Amino acid sequence: TTTHYTKRSMQNTSTRQIMVRRPFRRILPNVYKQAVGVISGSLSVNEPLDNPTYQIITQMDFLREFEPSGHAINDPLVYPDRLRQDPETKEWFRESVIRCAFAFQRIITIKHLVHLCGNDIQFELEGDTENEKVKDTFFKFRTGWAVKDMEIAWYEAAKSVKITGDTAFVGYLRKGIFYWKVLSFEKGDTLYPHFDNVTGELTLFARSYSDFDNNGNTVTDWLEVWDEKYLRRFRKGKGAYNKIKQVIKNLFGLSGYELISSQEHGFTFIPVAYHRNEAGACWSPSQDSIEQYELAFSQLSQNNTAYAFPIMYFKGEGDSINIEGGIDGTIKCISMGPDDEAGYLNKQDVSTAFTKQLDTLYKLIYEQSFAVIPPEVRSGDLPGVAIKLLYSPAFENAMKDAQEYNHLIDDMVKIFTYGYGVETENLIDLQNLNVYAWIKPYIHLNESELLQNLAVAVQNGFLSRQTANEQIQMYSNPRDWDRIMKEKKEEQQADILYKLKSQQVSATDNEVEHNPAGDDKL
């Protein structure tokens, strides 16, 4: 929703204006290529009106797709059970069919998150990087980023977008301490962002959620609204909740919701970083193939069950055939006449076309979602180029995601810088710190090859030791380069002290050699 809110317009804002947002949708093929208009030559005509038809997809649909128990294959209306009639009693009964649901969505989500969040957020210091105060502030910034678990916040935000389509990172200041929270529909939050029509900046943000009792019934509905200065909380419930003065309710125009609290959030801007993927969940391009695969596999399993046990047939008069079996259903003895015959039917096999259908769908599910099935490696370590080629679809998708999520990282850094600066009483220095943050997609690599390449680059002089140190994050920390410099200085001091001591010993030996008696001058 692109609506601009000011302090004055906030007084006339109602829940209908706040609790609105653009729905997730999937376009339908209605009137596909049926727009009237065939022209010849270079004639200029107006483009015909083509109103598309969309299917609304809710975020609860994404959760149903994510959990195998909520898949469409488990719905009897989509894949109905079979009705059978007893040939003797003529009574009808329902036979449950086999339903097979697979967690493809969960696998695709994990693969996307590994390549997107596998590496820590990269930080580069711009400007006067040789200034000791700036370097010390940058070290405090990176230390605070780790102490406040901002990498976990980044992972939770990315996970929420991959599963439910959107997320919000919110910063809080409580008694001078910085806290954060990731809001997600998976946790019961419905998010309502409002942006400026011109600049695209966030002008108002709302979050609604509910409290439930032990039976799952809704007890209270909550609405939290952030603007540039205040965090307002509204509540809709029964009984004592209606004792809030009606004048406050009318002031904000929130029908059904009553103001509970209004307090300054402590930031000079809206402390919310919001991101949304218009395509919805990360597996949406493969959802149709997943449903077809589950249907085909369920039908295959039903067919295998029907012919799982051998079927015996008899040829004869019928009365002359006697069968004696055990209590477990096995046949122990058969007696029949000389002209009778008994045997087993040949087991039916799955056709080649059926196998081809399952294999094709299985590959397409991963290809359409840019996920790679782990290849079988029969040799030793692979070179870095070979690994990148094997995982190129996943790496390409992670590179695309890195661009799309970059504004979310910038907003998270902005919120963290302000909140952590207030907490550490170092706000001005942290805000003046010119830090560039970016996402580095993760790709499986050969660590030995990486170390060797960096060592060769440093030896040949076209890569600094500090840059090489920053590239090897699995062995280093933000203070490693300072430690290396400190060790070098200690080594130089030790060498100087050793030389001075050697010179003193040499001078003493020379003095003793020239004056062995020690008192000749007296």
Side-chain angles (χ1 to χ4, degrees), residues 301-455:
S301 300
Q302 188 73 24
N303 179 78
N304 290 339
T305 301
Y307 296 96
F309 301 99
I311 301 175
M312 177 173 284
Y313 69 88
F314 300 97
K315 289 183 180 180
E317 297 296 334
D319 296 339
S320 60
I321 299 176
N322 296 320
I323 303 175
E324 295 182 4
I327 59 176
D328 57 353
T330 57
I331 298 176
K332 299 297 184 181
C333 178
I334 301 177
S335 60
M336 65 183 81
D339 298 330
D340 297 335
E341 181 184 351
Y344 288 96
L345 295 177
N346 292 329
K347 183 180 180 181
Q348 299 218 356
D349 195 6
V350 181
S351 64
T352 305
F354 208 112
T355 304
K356 180 66 175 178
Q357 177 187 8
L358 290 176
D359 292 342
T360 303
L361 287 173
Y362 185 81
K363 294 178 181 178
L364 285 176
I365 288 172
Y366 288 98
E367 289 180 0
Q368 293 173 142
S369 296
F370 289 87
V372 178
I373 303 174
E376 181 180 356
V377 181
R378 298 181 179 180
S379 59
D381 292 339
L382 294 176
V385 176
I387 295 176
K388 287 186 177 180
L389 290 176
L390 290 174
Y391 286 91
S392 61
F395 188 60
E396 293 164 0
N397 185 74
M399 293 174 64
K400 174 190 73 70
D401 285 344
Q403 301 298 322
E404 296 178 354
Y405 284 78
N406 193 65
H407 76 279
L408 173 64
I409 296 299
D410 292 340
D411 291 341
M412 291 177 62
V413 170
K414 179 181 178 181
I415 296 170
F416 164 77
T417 301
Y418 191 95
Y420 190 67
V422 172
E423 177 179 339
T424 58
E425 299 180 353
N426 196 24
L427 179 60
I428 296 179
D429 290 339
L430 286 176
Q431 285 191 319
N432 292 334
L433 196 65
N434 192 6
V435 176
Y436 171 64
W438 53 283
I439 302 171
K440 181 181 179 181
Y442 172 80
I443 186 67
H444 304 286
L445 51 83
N446 189 330
E447 295 183 1
S448 299
E449 182 182 5
L450 175 63
L451 291 174
Q452 183 178 0
N453 293 339
L454 292 175

Side-chain angles (χ1 to χ4, degrees), residues 190-202:
T190 304
L191 311 180
Y192 304 97
H194 298 263
F195 301 94
D196 187 272
N197 291 327
V198 179
T199 64
E201 294 182 355
L202 192 67

Side-chain angles (χ1 to χ4, degrees), residues 7 141 146 154 171 240 262 395 470 495:
K7 295 180 179 179
F141 172 86
W154 155 234
S262 178
F395 188 60
E470 293 173 354
D495 292 340

Side-chain angles (χ1 to χ4, degrees), residues 26-83:
R26 292 173 184 168
I27 195 167
L28 297 177
N30 300 5
V31 300
Y32 178 63
K33 290 186 179 180
Q34 294 183 15
V36 179
V38 178
I39 62 174
S40 61
S42 59
L43 207 59
S44 297
V45 297
N46 294 327
E47 182 178 357
L49 183 63
D50 186 4
N51 293 323
T53 304
Y54 294 94
Q55 176 189 10
I56 301 299
I57 304 296
T58 66
Q59 290 183 290
M60 187 57 69
D61 289 331
F62 295 146
L63 291 182
R64 294 188 184 98
E65 294 171 354
F66 184 71
E67 297 293 343
S69 59
H71 287 188
I73 192 66
N74 293 320
D75 187 356
L77 297 179
V78 177
Y79 184 38
D81 294 327
R82 298 180 179 180
L83 296 178

